[in-house]
């Protein structure tokens, strides 16, 4: 689509030249439809009247739009509380990741201090450790410090990550060192150089890191499932997973819950598609 | 990001102090060390404190019998011995291998296929790309609800399509022979974007000259792809395969949100069994031993593939 938008600027003579038809459409169209079906079904079912849901034969498109699913979702469950909890977890995860990982990434990329090689090696080594190995001791540790069953249990593991440190270090290594040297000669301290000169240049890397943290912390299920049993501290994902047992057949309510949990990320994706793709590519190339 | 920018409000800093010439070198090195550790320490404490420290602790736990309340009893390597004779664990390993075999080749193959299809400038390509990439944001909880609905034997979309086509109805998640296939299909739906994106990045970085040259020499598109493009993609293929294998071995959350290990334990994976052992039966010692077994398996596979690719001179690492 960008190609269509740019074409008039580059070739003013040939206005809106349609792109040639390609045989690939015969492949891409059905594949695209298949990939779209689950989300389309999710939106449609969330507005299907209760009377039509368990009807046979089932309908793909409801005959009328009903907001009953949303009404009972907001009226009979704690979804707003869980949404608030998830917002707290994700926003503190993102804020903390951006500050701590960029500080550490900069330290490892630019500062010369004793033990830096060992420290960075230790960070890389942790990427190899599967999270399953950490669940039991972390659960015991958190229960000793009183974090279990509180929102803090979901927040603390997301304050910083090896991936974040690695990503920021790689980015800072790619910046020319002369920039900081000039600022240091002008009498700035390291911290001032970092916040005034370096961070403003790091926006693309920070965007990648923010999306990585948002996706991970928003969608995390395994750890909250282990650490939080108290439904006042449920995250959105935990609440949804719990619905499957308690609201088994209330499909329009379940799908409305799915929409609440997914729509923010879908909108984010549509508006920041480039950064999302950069995040996916980088998270694949870290190995 | 605003939080970071707000911090820049401090005024111009004090000028760098100039200590006496003698001590200055030593002092400056100390200051540099303090400054360096000051930058890295906060993140380092969290990352290492929540990984290396618990990983070591898990090893000591694996030598105990402990339920979290009573006095822990040291049992040496009995938990590891118990793993050898545990038939439920062997079944779980079998189900995990089945998932790896179903998921890894299809996700790598589908990624390659979609990347090749999307790597062209045709109409609606942006819409196709969005449709294929967007499921990546769906969480396991969301995907679980969608799966149980779409594959519902009574009124799910897929059985309805089969009914309209006059084909026999399937049990899907309720059929022990099909449940893992359904989980694989929905994993592919959510994660195809990942392999597609890394193949797409590699295809777009590829210099065009070789392909041009091959085409001038009379190769058709099919030959150009398999003899020029595909060999150059090998590092990506090796990497994607390892990455997907490691992820597939750790399958848990989609099982939890769809079948909870059923029907008839057909989808009980290693990590699901580990979770049940540790957090439902509260057998922390045996759970830690299984976790170490899983870690060893992951390391062996990774090291094996790295050595293999070094030997065959594939430069993936």
């Amino acid at each position: 689509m960008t190609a269509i938008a740019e074409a008039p600027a580059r070739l003013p003579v040939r206005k809106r030249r349609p792109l040639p038809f390609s045989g690939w459409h015969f492949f891409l169209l059905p594949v695209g439809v298949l990939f779209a079906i689950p989300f389309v079904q999710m939106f449609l079912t969330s507005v299907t009247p209760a009377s039509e849901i368990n009807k046979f034969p089932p309908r793909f498109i409801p005959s009328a739009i009903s907001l009953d699913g949303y009404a009972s979702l907001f009226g009979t469950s704690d979804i707003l509380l869980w949404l608030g909890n998830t917002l707290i977890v994700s926003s503190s995860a993102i804020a903390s990741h951006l500050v701590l990982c960029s500080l550490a990434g900069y330290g490892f990329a630019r500062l010369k201090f004793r033990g830096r090689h060992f420290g960075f090696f230790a960070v890389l080594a942790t990427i190899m450790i599967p999270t399953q190995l950490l669940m039991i001791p972390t659960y015991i540790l958190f229960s000793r410090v009183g974090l279990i069953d509180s929102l803090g249990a979901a927040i603390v593991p997301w304050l910083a990550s090896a991936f974040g440190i690695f990503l920021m270090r790689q980015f800072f290594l790619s910046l020319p060192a002369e920039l900081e040297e000039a600022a240091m000669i002008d009498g700035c301290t390291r911290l001032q150089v970092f916040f005034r000169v370096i961070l403003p240049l790091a926006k693309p890397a920070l965007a990648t890191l923010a999306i990585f943290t948002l996706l991970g912390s928003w969608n995390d299920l395994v750890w909250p499932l282990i650490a939080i049993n108290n439904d006042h501290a449920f995250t959105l994902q935990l609440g949804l997973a719990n619905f499957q047992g308690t609201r088994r057949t209330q499909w329009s309510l379940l799908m409305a819950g799915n929409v609440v949990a997914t729509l923010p990320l879908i909108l984010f994706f549509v508006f920041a598609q480039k950064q999302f793709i950069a995040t996916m590519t980088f998270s694949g190339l870290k190995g | 990001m605003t939080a970071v920018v707000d911090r820049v409000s401090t005024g111009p800093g004090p000028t760098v102090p100039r200590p006496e010439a003698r001590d200055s070198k030593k002092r400056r090195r100390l200051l540099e060390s303090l400054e360096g550790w000051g930058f890295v320490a906060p993140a380092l404490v969290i990352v290492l404190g929540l990984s290396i420290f618990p990983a070591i602790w898990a090893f000591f736990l694996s030598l105990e019998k402990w339920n979290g309340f009573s006095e822990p009893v040291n049992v040496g390597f009995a938990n590891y011995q118990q793993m050898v004779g545990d038939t439920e664990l062997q079944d779980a390993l079998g189900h995990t291998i089945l998932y790896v075999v179903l998921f890894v080749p299809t996700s790598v193959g589908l990624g390659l296929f979609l990347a090749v299809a999307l790597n062209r400038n045709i109409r609606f390509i942006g819409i196709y790309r969005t449709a294929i990439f967007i499921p990546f944001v769906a969480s396991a909880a969301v995907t679980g609800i969608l799966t149980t609905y779409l594959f519902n034997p009574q009124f799910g979309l897929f059985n309805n399509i089969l009914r309209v086509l006059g084909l026999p109805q399937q049990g899907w998640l309720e059929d022990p022979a099909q449940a893992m296939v359904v989980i694989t299909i929905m994993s592919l739906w959510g994660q195809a974007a990942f392999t597609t994106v890394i193949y797409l990045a590699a295809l777009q970085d590829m210099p065009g000259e070789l392909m041009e040259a091959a085409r001038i020499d009379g190769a058709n598109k099919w030959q150009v792809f398999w003899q020029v493009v595909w060999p150059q993609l090998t590092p990506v293929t090796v990497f994607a395969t390892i990455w997907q294998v490691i992820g597939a071995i750790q399958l848990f959350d989609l099982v939890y949100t769809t079948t909870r290990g059923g029907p008839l334990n057909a989808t009980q994976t290693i990590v699901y069994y580990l979770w049940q052992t540790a957090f439902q039966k509260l057998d922390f010692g045996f759970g830690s031993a299984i976790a170490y077994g899983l870690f060893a398996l992951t390391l062996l596979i990774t090291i094996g593939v790295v050595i293999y690719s070094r030997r065959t001179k594939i430069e993936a690492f």
Side-chain angles (χ1 to χ4, degrees):
Chain A
M1 283 223 270
T2 47
I4 296 170
E6 281 165 14
R10 272 188 280 125
L11 304 162
V13 188
R14 282 188 255 169
K15 267 190 181 174
R16 294 173 115 237
R17 186 175 59 106
L19 289 160
F21 182 79
S22 157
W24 283 96
H25 286 295
F26 291 115
F27 169 69
L28 281 167
L29 186 66
V31 169
V33 169
L34 270 181
F35 271 85
I37 278 178
F39 277 160
V40 171
Q41 173 91 75
M42 172 176 96
F43 283 104
L44 290 176
T45 308
S46 77
V47 295
T48 301
S51 58
E52 279 181 30
I53 283 219
N54 291 343
K55 242 187 184 170
F56 194 86
R59 320 175 50 116
F60 185 63
I61 297 167
S63 65
I65 287 180
S66 148
L67 294 178
D68 291 350
Y70 291 90
S72 66
L73 174 72
F74 289 107
T76 65
S77 80
D78 286 331
I79 188 96
L80 281 176
L81 177 71
W82 304 334
L83 178 64
N85 285 343
T86 289
L87 284 172
I88 292 171
V89 171
S90 285
S91 50
S92 39
I94 292 170
S96 169
H97 248 81
L98 291 181
V99 175
L100 298 185
C101 292
S102 53
L103 277 171
Y106 181 76
F108 283 128
R110 279 286 194 271
L111 304 181
K112 308 267 178 277
F113 58 93
R114 202 171 281 201
R116 68 182 193 280
H117 295 299
F118 179 74
F120 186 64
F121 176 77
V123 168
L124 283 190
T126 67
I127 293 178
M128 286 299 296
I129 303 174
T131 50
Q132 291 79 20
L133 190 59
L134 314 174
M135 295 187 312
I136 301 169
T138 310
Y139 176 81
I140 299 169
L141 176 72
F142 277 23
S143 60
R144 290 207 177 145
V145 296
L147 276 172
I148 291 298
D149 277 351
S150 79
L151 207 51
I155 294 173
V156 172
W158 280 101
L159 292 178
S161 67
F163 168 78
I165 298 173
F166 179 70
L167 180 128
M168 294 314 292
R169 174 182 175 268
Q170 297 307 97
F171 178 80
F172 291 131
L173 282 177
S174 73
L175 286 182
E178 291 84 32
L179 282 169
E180 301 140 75
E181 280 157 15
M184 296 285 277
I185 290 165
D186 288 349
C188 287
T189 66
R190 267 290 172 194
L191 219 53
Q192 287 173 331
V193 172
F194 177 73
F195 281 114
R196 289 188 179 172
V197 182
I198 302 299
L199 268 193
L201 293 172
K203 274 179 197 152
L206 291 173
T208 303
L209 184 58
I211 289 172
F212 166 81
T213 316
L214 171 71
L215 266 183
S217 62
W218 187 280
N219 283 344
D220 192 15
L221 176 67
V222 181
W223 177 244
L225 180 72
I226 291 168
I228 298 172
N229 273 314
N230 157 18
D231 60 6
H232 290 291
F234 268 12
T235 59
L236 202 47
Q237 305 300 332
L238 209 44
L240 279 183
N242 206 46
F243 271 164
Q244 283 193 293
T246 56
R247 310 290 186 116
R248 202 155 255 283
T249 52
Q250 291 169 273
W251 287 110
S252 50
L253 175 141
L254 286 169
M255 292 301 176
N258 267 1
V259 171
V260 171
T262 322
L263 195 60
L265 297 181
I266 292 180
L267 292 177
F268 236 98
F269 183 91
V270 171
F271 289 113
Q273 195 160 354
K274 248 188 174 170
Q275 282 78 14
F276 258 94
I277 291 170
T279 307
M280 284 195 264
T281 314
F282 196 90
S283 62
L285 298 179
K286 69 176 175 171
Chain B
M1 244 181 296
T2 48
V4 176
V5 177
D6 285 345
R7 291 191 152 213
V8 195
S9 52
T10 42
T15 45
V16 184
R18 289 189 186 176
E20 302 307 312
R22 284 279 154 146
D23 284 340
S24 71
K25 211 174 176 186
K26 223 176 167 185
R27 253 189 79 187
R28 213 173 59 206
R29 284 189 64 177
L30 182 72
L31 276 177
E32 274 180 353
S33 270
L34 279 177
E35 185 186 58
W37 282 105
F39 267 81
V40 302
L44 212 57
V45 166
I46 292 165
V47 169
L48 300 188
L50 291 178
S51 60
I52 293 200
F53 165 65
I56 295 167
W57 191 357
F59 180 70
F60 290 105
L61 284 171
S62 76
L63 306 177
E64 292 173 349
K65 268 275 166 251
W66 191 37
N67 62 10
F69 303 103
S70 63
E71 273 297 302
V73 182
N74 194 306
V75 294
F77 286 90
N79 285 323
Y80 291 94
Q81 278 165 356
Q82 191 186 334
M83 276 167 66
V84 181
D86 189 322
T87 51
E88 224 181 318
L89 181 63
Q90 280 156 17
D91 288 346
L93 177 65
H95 303 144
T96 308
I97 292 171
L98 172 66
Y99 178 70
V100 170
V101 169
L102 288 173
F103 176 74
V104 176
T106 43
S107 84
V108 174
L110 186 66
L112 176 66
F113 207 44
L114 291 175
V116 171
L118 290 173
N119 186 30
R120 61 200 68 247
N121 195 10
I122 58 176
R123 235 204 272 205
F124 308 128
I125 195 77
I127 296 172
Y128 294 140
R129 200 181 297 144
T130 305
I132 290 166
F133 287 175
I134 262 193
F136 191 73
V137 305
S139 71
V142 167
T143 311
I145 292 174
L146 288 174
T147 311
T148 40
Y149 190 68
L150 290 169
F151 289 95
N152 186 298
Q154 281 83 47
F155 48 83
L157 180 70
F158 289 104
N159 261 0
N160 197 28
I161 291 172
L162 291 181
R163 191 182 53 80
V164 171
L165 296 175
L167 295 168
Q169 301 285 287
Q170 303 297 322
W172 303 123
L173 288 170
E174 292 170 17
D175 183 338
Q178 294 173 352
M180 203 55 114
V181 178
V182 172
I183 290 177
T184 307
I185 291 171
M186 290 308 278
S187 297
L188 285 174
W189 172 72
Q191 292 176 45
F194 172 68
T195 41
T196 306
V197 154
I198 58 175
Y199 270 123
L200 200 53
L203 285 173
Q204 286 170 351
D205 282 348
M206 210 171 272
E209 294 97 28
L210 271 174
M211 286 170 258
E212 289 282 304
R215 217 165 281 152
I216 290 166
D217 287 349
N220 63 30
K221 279 184 180 174
W222 188 252
Q223 288 168 323
V224 169
F225 179 78
W226 287 112
Q227 290 174 21
V228 181
V229 178
W230 173 241
Q232 292 188 72
L233 290 174
T234 312
V236 183
T237 307
V238 172
F239 168 77
T241 307
I242 293 189
W243 199 249
Q244 298 298 77
V245 168
I246 292 176
I249 289 177
Q250 301 178 357
L251 175 69
F252 169 81
D253 47 10
L254 202 51
V255 170
Y256 180 82
T257 58
T258 52
T259 58
R260 304 247 164 141
L264 299 175
N265 281 348
T267 56
Q268 191 177 58
T269 59
I270 298 176
V271 177
Y272 197 83
Y273 186 57
L274 160 58
W275 172 78
Q276 279 187 322
T277 303
F279 297 104
Q280 295 198 310
K281 299 178 198 153
L282 293 177
D283 190 345
F284 288 158
F286 189 44
S288 299
I290 298 174
Y292 256 98
L294 189 73
F295 184 25
L297 189 69
T298 314
L299 270 186
L300 276 178
I301 291 171
T302 314
I303 293 169
V305 178
V306 169
I307 289 174
Y308 175 78
S309 60
R310 285 254 163 94
R311 284 230 175 117
T312 49
K313 305 223 167 108
I314 296 162
E315 283 164 12
F317 301 94

